[in-house]
Amino acid sequence: MAPSSAGYVTALTAAALATVGFLGYQAYATAPAHLTKARTNGTPAITTKTPGGGKNAVLLPPGSGTGARVVYSLRGHRVWLVGLGDKVIRTFEVTPGNIDPAPGVYAVTSRSNAVTGSDGTPIEHVVRFTDVDGVAIGFSAAVRDAAPADSTTTTVRTGGIRESRADGDVMWTFATIGATVAVIP
């Protein structure tokens, strides 16, 4: 096979994988609620209780946009994954870094399956959507099951919004390149 043929086959394979992933996401996002509640890892599709949070903590905040999107509350340290028809697919608490993005609407600009965070922690399923003064801001899950570092005591500038590994898996599937991220106060 000529070198140009190998590149052509690689490009076709990548396009096919991207198409299958996109179609899988569409099927997931439009599936009836009773089919999306159970997960193979045993976690519910929608969190119904928030330990230590108010009874309305899981409700999608008004004014958070429309359509499929990720909604991130700076004050509430909570994320909502919102599918078509403003249906909340999943909501969960997060631990922010010490640098916050400004409220606004962003798009996912890059993703990394596994890297080392700016604090030296191995992380996976990194979904980046902006940067602040050269510090990347995005969602990620620590590979080790250690508690996240206290962002108020570290001197390292971090923009990582840490989530559990289970939540990170769902975020990775949901928030592909170009996906909308709405940051609210």
Side-chain angles (χ1 to χ4, degrees), residues 160-185:
I161 303 160
R162 295 286 166 81
E163 55 206 359
S164 72
R165 291 185 83 184
D167 294 330
D169 289 345
V170 177
M171 175 71 80
W172 181 255
T173 302
F174 185 84
T176 57
I177 298 292
T180 300
V181 178
V183 178
I184 61 174

Side-chain angles (χ1 to χ4, degrees), residues 51-139:
K55 67 179 184 176
N56 293 327
V58 299
L59 298 177
L60 182 64
S64 63
T66 59
R69 65 197 180 281
V70 175
V71 176
Y72 170 47
S73 170
L74 294 168
R75 241 179 288 145
H77 299 172
R78 176 166 289 279
V79 168
W80 291 262
L81 303 181
V82 184
L84 301 176
D86 285 346
K87 175 185 164 196
V88 175
I89 295 169
R90 188 179 186 105
T91 183
F92 50 89
E93 291 180 324
V94 294
T95 303
N98 54 22
I99 298 179
D100 288 329
V105 178
Y106 303 88
V108 173
T109 56
S110 70
R111 297 169 16 120
S112 297
N113 191 38
V115 296
T116 299
S118 58
D119 62 355
T121 302
I123 54 178
E124 66 182 3
H125 296 157
V126 182
V127 176
R128 298 175 201 87
F129 58 91
T130 192
D131 68 82
V132 174
D133 297 327
V135 177
I137 307 293
F139 305 101

